[in-house]
Amino acid sequence: MSDMLGLNVDMKSSETFGVGQVAEQFGLATHVLRHWESMGLLTPERDGDRRRYRDADLDRIAVILKAKEAGFSLDDIREMFVVGNPGTRREIMRRHQADLIGRIVALQASLKLVEGALNCEHEDITQCPNFLKAVGLVRNQR
C-alpha cells in the first residue's frame, strides 16, 4: 500500500463537474460513484437527471479512497460520515485500530517465517534448526 494515494484534486473551483469528469479525475469507473451515492456516501447535486459534483464532493471522494486504502469497509466509512457523535466515530476507529494491530502482528509473524526460510540452506526446511528457531520452535536438548 502506498503512503500517498496520488489523488489529483486540482479540479477545484466554484464550478461543478459531471460524473464522467470526476470518475476520470480519480481513476474510478462511473458506476463506483453511483454505487457510493446509493450507499449514502455521496450526495451530488442534480441538474435534471445529471449528477453535478462540487468541491466538497471531491474532498469526500478523496477521503473515501484513503479510508478504503486504510482497510475501512464502505459501511464503516458511511457510519463515520453520518454519525454525529464523536465518541461513536472514535469507537469505529478503535475497532479498526484493533483490527489493524492484529493484521500487523500476523504480518510480522509471516515476515519472520519468510526471513527464516530465506536463511535456511537445508533441503528439508522443517529440519533446519535456524528456521525452526526463527519461527519460535525450540526443541529441548536431550
Side-chain angles (χ1 to χ4, degrees):
M1 214 180 283
S2 67
D3 289 335
M4 295 295 298
L5 188 57
L7 299 176
N8 181 0
V9 290
D10 291 337
M11 292 171 60
K12 292 191 173 196
S13 71
S14 60
E15 66 181 302
T16 62
F17 306 95
V19 67
Q21 290 174 289
V22 174
E24 183 178 338
Q25 186 69 22
F26 285 95
L28 299 169
T30 57
H31 71 85
V32 171
L33 295 173
R34 290 184 186 104
H35 175 65
W36 290 353
E37 181 182 357
S38 74
M39 290 190 67
L41 293 168
L42 296 172
T43 53
E45 293 181 2
R46 295 289 180 153
D47 182 9
D49 64 342
R50 302 178 72 95
R51 291 166 177 83
R52 301 304 299 171
Y53 295 85
R54 294 199 168 277
D55 291 351
D57 298 309
L58 301 180
D59 294 341
R60 188 169 273 230
I61 292 166
V63 170
I64 293 168
L65 290 170
K66 288 301 284 185
K68 283 177 54 63
E69 184 180 87
F72 284 93
S73 71
L74 290 176
D75 288 332
D76 280 343
I77 296 167
R78 180 183 59 232
E79 191 176 354
M80 286 186 297
F81 284 174
V82 300
V83 69
N85 181 337
T88 303
R89 187 172 33 255
R90 279 192 287 280
E91 183 53 39
I92 296 166
M93 292 292 186
R94 283 187 193 101
R95 281 194 321 252
H96 191 64
Q97 180 185 40
D99 179 56
L100 287 172
I101 290 169
R103 289 172 32 205
I104 289 168
V105 168
L107 286 170
Q108 286 172 331
S110 296
L111 182 60
K112 186 174 181 180
L113 178 82
V114 169
E115 288 171 344
L118 287 170
N119 292 322
C120 175
E121 298 296 329
H122 283 71
E123 271 187 46
D124 182 354
I125 200 167
T126 65
Q127 300 303 308
C128 175
N130 292 330
F131 176 72
L132 295 174
K133 183 179 173 187
V135 296
L137 299 174
V138 180
R139 288 205 178 112
N140 293 330
Q141 299 296 325
R142 294 180 199 179

